[in-house]
Amino acid sequence: MKNAAEKRANKSISLKWSLICIIVGCWILPISIISVVTGYYITHNINDQIAGTITTSANNSVKIAVNRMDSAISSSRYASYNPTIKDAYSSFQQTKDVNALYDRVTAFLSQQYKYDDKFLITTLYFCDEPDNIYYTFNEAYNATYFGVREYRDHVHEMVKIQSGTLGTNVGFLNVDGRIYMVRNILGSDYKPYAVLTMQLNTASMFASIKNVAWETDTTIWLNSTPVVLSGTQF
């Protein structure tokens, strides 16, 4: 009797473990595998979507910045195409009226660039009198005469040197993190008679790039001139 009872007990235990193995093998294990595989693919797809979103955002931001830069270059070109500066200087060469020249040039700079959010300060000088600097500054973006003094003391000599190499091209200078765009104004003989310099409002012009998600160190290049928007230059 005892052996029969033990056999029945062992049989019951064996059946129990068999059922457990069946449950583990046919239900828990497949579900676990499916969960792991599904989790991997979900995580992988999410990472791909995040990377794609960041790439798209970066590409769109660069396009916006390029358009803003093209617009700034076009604005600087207007000083060459518009006859105001040329006419004012031609009149000065005949009358030698310094005050009239100052009034006409300053009025033009103010009308064209003082309220343009792409520029902080704009300066102009005539090649025959390079130390007479005409200027305007964008008070709406907290630019002041101090920026003009910074230009006069630390940038003007570099502009005079660079302008001699530019011809019809646009040049850039990075002076203590301030970015300047330099353009010659040409006469009918295609020789420069004046030089226009603009300090770029990088916070406004390149805001789209600075807003890219998770950016840390950001540097863009204008020709060979680095513009550090955040972090350190690379």
Side-chain angles (χ1 to χ4, degrees):
M1 294 290 294
K2 185 176 180 181
N3 289 335
E6 287 178 353
K7 286 180 181 179
R8 283 196 297 271
N10 290 335
K11 211 170 187 186
S12 175
I13 292 171
S14 177
L15 180 61
K16 175 182 176 182
W17 282 108
S18 295
L19 289 173
I20 291 173
C21 289
I22 291 171
I23 291 171
V24 170
C26 297
W27 184 53
I28 296 178
L29 185 59
I31 288 178
S32 298
I33 294 173
I34 291 171
S35 297
V36 170
V37 173
T38 302
Y40 169 79
Y41 279 109
I42 289 174
T43 302
H44 184 70
N45 288 338
I46 289 174
N47 288 338
D48 284 348
Q49 289 176 2
I50 292 173
T53 298
I54 293 175
T55 300
T56 300
S57 176
N59 288 337
N60 290 338
S61 297
V62 169
K63 289 178 182 178
I64 293 171
V66 168
N67 289 337
R68 294 280 285 166
M69 196 66 241
D70 287 343
S71 177
I73 292 173
S74 294
S75 295
S76 71
R77 192 181 296 121
Y78 183 74
S80 290
Y81 293 154
N82 187 286
T84 302
I85 299 297
K86 182 179 178 181
D87 291 347
Y89 193 60
S90 296
S91 177
F92 166 75
Q93 289 178 313
Q94 295 176 4
T95 66
K96 304 302 180 183
D97 190 336
V98 175
N99 293 328
L101 178 64
Y102 175 85
D103 290 342
R104 293 179 68 179
V105 172
T106 302
F108 175 83
L109 295 179
S110 295
Q111 290 169 4
Q112 296 302 320
Y113 305 120
K114 183 174 184 176
Y115 304 103
D116 191 326
D117 69 341
K118 299 186 293 295
F119 311 117
L120 294 177
I121 70 166
T122 301
T123 67
L124 181 143
Y125 69 86
F126 294 101
C127 298
D128 289 342
E129 298 182 356
D131 293 329
N132 291 336
I133 301 172
Y134 305 84
Y135 62 85
T136 190
F137 48 86
N138 193 335
E139 295 172 299
Y141 284 85
N142 298 319
T144 65
Y145 180 70
F146 178 78
V148 179
R149 268 180 29 197
E150 287 286 311
Y151 167 83
R152 189 188 300 273
D153 294 341
H154 304 294
V155 185
H156 187 55
E157 290 302 318
M158 286 186 277
V159 168
K160 287 196 290 185
I161 293 171
Q162 188 184 67
S163 65
T165 68
L166 291 178
T168 59
N169 296 321
V170 171
F172 298 94
L173 292 170
N174 183 333
V175 183
D176 297 330
R178 299 184 300 274
I179 309 302
Y180 298 89
M181 180 171 66
V182 183
R183 170 183 287 282
N184 289 325
I185 300 179
L186 307 181
S188 56
D189 57 357
Y190 295 100
K191 293 181 180 180
Y193 67 90
V195 178
L196 184 72
T197 304
M198 296 150 147
Q199 182 184 348
L200 300 182
N201 183 2
T202 55
S204 171
M205 289 189 61
F206 306 122
S208 60
I209 294 179
K210 295 182 70 174
N211 291 334
V212 174
W214 301 340
E215 58 88 9
T216 52
D217 297 326
T218 306
T219 302
I220 64 173
W221 296 80
L222 301 175
N223 295 342
S224 59
T225 302
V227 181
V228 180
L229 300 180
S230 62
T232 56
Q233 180 181 329
F234 61 89

